[in-house]
Amino acid sequence: MIARVTLELALRKEFDYLIPPEFETQVDVGSRVQVPFGPRKVLGCVTALAEESAHTNLRSIIKVIGAQTLVTPKILKLARWIGEYYCCPPEIALKSVLPDAVRKEQAGWRERLFVRALPIVGEFPKLPKRQHEVWNIIEERREMPLQELIDLAETTAATVRHLEDKGLITITTEISERDPYARENILPTQPLLLNPQQVRALDKIKVAMDVEGLGVGRDMNSPEVPEILKAPAFDTPLLDIFKETGREVKAAPKDAENASNGTNANRVFLLHGVTGSGKTEIYLQALAHALKQGKGAIVLVPEISLTPQTVERFKARFSSGPLQTLVAVLHSHLSAGERHDEWHKIRQGRARIAIGARSAIFAPVDPLGLIIVDEEHEHTYKQEESPRYHARDVAIVRGQMEGATVVLGSATPSMESFYNCSRGKYTLLEMLERVDNKKMPVVRVVDMRQAMRRGKSIPIFSPQLKEAIQQRLERKEQTILFLNRRGYSTSLQCPLCGFVATCPNCSVSLTYHRKAQILCCHVCGHTEPVPARCPGPKCGNPEIRYAGLGTEKVEDTLAKLFPDARIKRMDSDTLKRKDDFRRILGDFRTGKIDILVGTQMIAKGLHFPNVTLVGIIYADLALHLPDFRAGERTFQLLTQVAGRAGRGDIEGEVFVQSFTPFHPAIQYARRHDFGGFYDQELEFREQLKYPPVSRVAMLTLKGRNEEKVKLSADHLRRELEKALSGIKDLVIAGPAPAPLAKAESNYRYQLMLRARQMTGVSQRLAAMTQSLALPDDVSLAVDIDPVDLA
């Protein structure tokens, strides 16, 4: 037999290898193998089996990695699609579907010594006092790790070995799984009673899950298909939903890319529920329905929202009862060993629910019945390195391939997803009220221009916000203050000569971190000590100033304004240890913290009933970036942060401090009006042919010599015009310097492609980039459907 192997080298080729007789029963499609490649030994994945090869003198597979295939045929098919659509070598796409901890040549299992009590045969031997104390612990536990016994009994391994010599115990080496939540005391929970809007949403999802094979070639006119699902690509219930919210909807042209054939719209749901409307409970009950069907599920959560609180909700629901199953967690905060063990729980079928960040979409859940993408609008679902896939879009493709239902959930859906609902590709489910009739928080926009006129400098806190914080402290209620910028000050400036401390590697200013007394670049990580005098030539002014503000300065100012308040800051500067995130949130939940200051990691997925006030320090921060999504991102962030307030019995209040208080993104967020924001934003996107009405590809060239990069970009433009000629409605913009013109010592130039359909463009791009001649020190990155234009 011949194995076709894709190596972990970006060669865009498969290589044939002989399967030695001793490996014939072990090698299958998806097996990880070690093979000879020239003088080296390289790891790869078997992508096909054949009986003969066009090549002669084939070399043999050296080694099979793992006892079972690691890449299932379904995941292999998904990896091939990622390689084709996102213009990356198939080897890179295949490499991305397995965690590093699983791809290693050596098995990553942890082995530990375990002590077990043996049945006592005959008379019990006489033991010294110390050995008897140890025996009493073993007799009670019957089985436990040796090290745990030594620590508990405050003894030595030699003492325990004496008991083994006397035939009372056996000590064996066994695999000990690493469970990141082993020390957590998670109490089981029961399904909650749903309100009418939750029942309607869940019923539609369950009906779709009950239809076997829907979306994979099934005849939608079959009598087995419920009437609720026999909707055309653009159905009446969807039109009614839009009429209720006062929005006009235009039907989609039949030839639109990925236009629904009547099946996809009924397999993909957009659950648009305001913050606190009970989306998580719908997820949990939909997961239970998948388990009842004997299927598994994947829950995607943005890395930043993957808090212990979020994970505990899912583990608590399925920790006992008839639907009890292991819930495996996959994210970057786990150790390599924990990731290895959690992944294998899924592959072995012991864990039927996988919850994790974007890479969890490749979890080997089989059979797969449901995929949930929570906070589907989050830009962190987009991978920054090759393959630059978007986990939300990969989830939809995987759902189509495996006949699984996909639920996209958000209080602030992405423009793309909501647009797909209006065109009939997805089914829209709306929940516009909070559970238990709790009111949405009152949002007050504070015009900081007025506050600035009263004082000499820009204040951090407006008088209104200061008074509101004081009231919460007096009432023993909690406050969250949000500023999406860490550090103390954003720049160091000299008022005499105008010198600004900038990064030598990037085109950004250095941020001042007061506690560490350093200037730091938040792009490349460069640091340097804080100068006592202006470093500018012929200056030396000792009165250098720090401009701007970050979370560190907010925390410092709060401590001076409210000396008796218990204040804590949460950003990547304060979360250094693995359990810091859990510890701070635990203290906040139990009322040990009065005011929590943080960046976007406190903006989503947190539920604290005693939080009645949220203050957004500087709402304009991302509003004026050179990105067509700046308004959308600001609207989403303000709405999400505001949603942390008023989740208990007391109505919440939100203060939004802004220097552009009448910007549409801020005003629509104030009114919690997603529909109004969507309508005006779509009009702007249609005029300029930006997503969602078109698709975008961003081509970025970078190199250390700016002139070479610029010439290469001009050459690329000419090659693109030749390769993409004939594509309808194609717009090529650039080349131009990137918004971040220099990063990590590399100069950057960009070209943007906009087209109605991307599949044909990406195929031609992949072919063109393979043959494109560029200087050795200039590299090209292709990003299909980018979410960040910097």
Side-chain angles (χ1 to χ4, degrees), residues 547-728:
L549 73 153
T551 48
E552 191 180 358
K553 190 171 185 177
V554 172
E555 180 190 30
D556 186 61
T557 308
L558 275 173
K560 293 172 183 173
L561 290 172
F562 309 104
D564 297 328
R566 296 166 296 175
I567 303 161
K568 204 73 182 176
R569 173 164 57 98
M570 267 185 71
D571 55 32
S572 56
D573 293 329
T574 59
L575 304 182
K576 297 297 184 185
R577 289 194 298 272
K578 189 178 171 184
D579 62 340
D580 283 349
F581 198 73
R582 183 176 304 184
R583 178 178 50 77
I584 293 174
L585 289 182
D587 288 348
F588 194 59
R589 186 190 301 180
T590 53
K592 295 177 183 176
I593 299 170
D594 298 317
I595 304 173
L596 184 65
V597 181
T599 54
Q600 62 180 0
M601 60 179 62
I602 65 169
K604 306 169 186 75
L606 302 180
H607 179 86
F608 297 112
N610 198 37
V611 173
T612 60
L613 175 66
V614 168
I616 297 166
I617 304 297
Y618 188 10
D620 316 71
L621 203 58
L623 196 54
H624 307 298
L625 294 176
D627 190 325
F628 69 86
R629 288 193 178 92
E632 181 185 5
R633 291 236 179 95
T634 299
F635 172 83
Q636 290 168 343
L637 202 53
L638 296 185
T639 306
Q640 293 285 343
V641 178
R644 302 312 108 207
R647 285 173 166 256
D649 297 328
I650 304 170
E651 187 176 354
E653 192 173 23
V654 180
F655 283 87
V656 178
Q657 299 187 159
S658 171
F659 288 93
T660 51
F662 300 108
H663 191 284
I666 293 173
Q667 286 299 316
Y668 284 119
R670 180 180 71 82
R671 297 195 295 267
H672 309 286
D673 183 5
F674 173 80
F677 173 78
Y678 171 83
D679 287 342
Q680 66 88 31
E681 184 72 9
L682 185 63
E683 189 177 339
F684 146 67
R685 305 275 183 98
E686 283 177 332
Q687 286 175 358
L688 298 175
K689 293 187 171 61
Y690 279 128
V693 297
S694 70
R695 310 296 283 272
V696 165
M698 183 67 77
L699 282 68
T700 304
L701 293 125
K702 65 179 183 179
R704 301 206 168 217
N705 184 311
E706 185 175 11
E707 191 59 32
K708 269 190 186 180
V709 176
K710 187 177 184 306
L711 289 171
S712 299
D714 292 333
H715 170 63
L716 176 60
R717 165 87 191 214
R718 291 190 292 271
E719 293 298 311
L720 284 171
E721 288 171 347
K722 285 189 278 185
L724 303 179
S725 63
I727 292 181
K728 190 179 177 183

Side-chain angles (χ1 to χ4, degrees), residues 705-770:
N705 184 311
E706 185 175 11
E707 191 59 32
K708 269 190 186 180
V709 176
K710 187 177 184 306
L711 289 171
S712 299
D714 292 333
H715 170 63
L716 176 60
R717 165 87 191 214
R718 291 190 292 271
E719 293 298 311
L720 284 171
E721 288 171 347
K722 285 189 278 185
L724 303 179
S725 63
I727 292 181
K728 190 179 177 183
D729 296 324
L730 177 71
V731 177
I732 304 177
L740 183 60
K742 186 183 178 188
E744 298 174 329
S745 301
N746 285 303
Y747 294 93
R748 306 166 73 247
Y749 273 72
Q750 291 180 335
L751 292 99
M752 180 193 280
L753 310 181
R754 278 172 282 169
R756 294 287 295 180
Q757 297 184 349
M758 188 50 66
T759 306
V761 174
S762 61
Q763 288 171 352
R764 292 202 204 179
L765 271 177
M768 186 209 74
T769 52
Q770 285 182 62

Side-chain angles (χ1 to χ4, degrees), residues 452-577:
M452 195 173 76
R453 288 189 192 112
R454 297 191 196 108
K456 294 179 181 177
S457 59
I458 302 172
I460 296 176
F461 302 105
S462 62
Q464 299 96 314
L465 181 55
K466 272 193 281 191
E467 185 183 342
I469 294 171
Q470 184 63 52
Q471 289 173 358
R472 268 47 180 203
L473 291 171
E474 290 169 359
R475 299 203 299 247
K476 306 294 183 189
E477 295 166 8
Q478 290 172 300
T479 300
I480 287 177
L481 296 177
F482 171 82
L483 177 65
N484 204 19
R485 182 190 276 158
R486 58 194 175 93
Y488 191 87
S489 296
T490 49
S491 64
L492 179 146
Q493 297 175 335
C494 175
L496 282 184
C497 71
F499 171 85
V500 176
T502 56
C503 175
N505 309 317
C506 311
S507 54
V508 293
S509 61
L510 295 173
T511 300
Y512 171 50
H513 290 253
R514 186 176 183 179
K515 188 176 180 182
Q517 279 298 301
I518 58 169
L519 296 173
C520 177
C521 173
H522 289 174
V523 175
C524 71
H526 167 82
T527 60
E528 54 187 64
V530 178
R533 295 173 174 273
C534 172
K538 301 177 183 178
C539 185
N541 176 25
E543 295 183 8
I544 48 178
R545 291 179 184 173
Y546 302 102
L549 73 153
T551 48
E552 191 180 358
K553 190 171 185 177
V554 172
E555 180 190 30
D556 186 61
T557 308
L558 275 173
K560 293 172 183 173
L561 290 172
F562 309 104
D564 297 328
R566 296 166 296 175
I567 303 161
K568 204 73 182 176
R569 173 164 57 98
M570 267 185 71
D571 55 32
S572 56
D573 293 329
T574 59
L575 304 182
K576 297 297 184 185
R577 289 194 298 272

Side-chain angles (χ1 to χ4, degrees), residues 233-301:
F234 194 77
D235 55 13
T236 306
L238 188 66
L239 282 169
D240 289 343
I241 290 169
F242 277 86
K243 284 175 185 173
E244 287 169 18
T245 54
R247 295 196 288 280
E248 184 186 351
V249 183
K250 298 172 186 175
K254 293 294 180 185
D255 62 345
E257 185 178 26
N258 297 328
S260 171
N261 59 3
T263 60
N264 189 39
N266 301 302
R267 269 295 190 186
V268 181
F269 294 91
L270 175 62
L271 181 60
H272 174 210
V274 297
T275 54
S277 60
K279 295 187 290 293
T280 303
E281 186 60 30
I282 290 179
Y283 299 158
L284 290 166
Q285 296 198 24
L287 289 170
H289 194 70
L291 295 178
K292 285 177 187 173
Q293 294 177 319
K295 295 180 179 179
I298 295 171
V299 182
L300 296 186
V301 183

